Amino acid sequence: MTESKVPDHRSTKAKKYRKCYGLKAWKAARTTQFARHRLCERCLQSETVAEATVVNHHTPHRGDWALFIDPNNHESVCALHHDGLIQREEKRGYVIGCDVNGRPLDPAHPWNQ
Ligand SMILES: [Zn+2]
């Protein structure tokens, strides 16, 4: 995986905030998010229906509790989107994908600059 090429300086911090996923507050937020959006919101953008299994953070929280727990920063996604596409987007800095007209979804996409 390409992750292994990233220097390990993030892992200590990542270990700290990984614990947040075990907290009752997170479990409640996750349950609420799935009650609001049971289907993958990314799949729906391309008119595909898939069950959401992961609550993603629109803005990566990187240990920031306010971003971590803010329901407005949550989106329901399938594992495929979370493990592949979103990880790549975070590295690139823009949303990957096109609308039905072939235009990039993200106004920040280099094509739109
Ligand atoms: Zn999906």
Side-chain angles (χ1 to χ4, degrees):
M1 282 183 83
T2 54
E3 271 295 305
S4 62
K5 292 179 183 172
V6 176
D8 206 28
H9 67 274
R10 289 191 334 171
S11 63
T12 306
K13 191 175 180 186
K15 278 181 193 170
K16 281 184 187 172
Y17 66 70
R18 187 166 287 277
K19 290 179 185 173
C20 294
Y21 289 95
L23 298 175
K24 281 182 184 175
W26 170 249
K27 290 176 181 173
R30 190 176 181 276
T31 300
T32 300
Q33 178 61 26
F34 285 147
R36 284 184 1 199
H37 298 282
R38 194 63 206 126
L39 301 176
C40 173
E41 296 176 54
R42 300 296 185 101
C43 283
L44 288 174
Q45 288 176 351
S46 55
E47 299 180 2
T48 304
V49 174
E51 184 182 11
T53 55
V54 181
V55 174
N56 182 56
H57 292 89
H58 287 291
T59 302
H61 60 84
R62 296 195 168 92
D64 181 321
W65 178 255
L67 282 174
F68 182 81
I69 206 68
D70 181 2
N72 295 318
N73 194 33
H74 298 160
E75 69 173 332
S76 302
V77 294
C78 66
L80 190 67
H81 267 115
H82 185 260
D83 297 345
L85 197 63
I86 293 169
Q87 302 295 327
R88 281 189 286 145
E89 286 174 357
E90 287 183 9
K91 285 181 183 165
R92 292 185 190 192
Y94 58 84
V95 173
I96 297 169
C98 299
D99 62 19
V100 291
N101 298 315
R103 302 285 305 175
L105 291 170
D106 192 338
H109 188 283
W111 190 267
N112 292 325
Q113 300 304 306

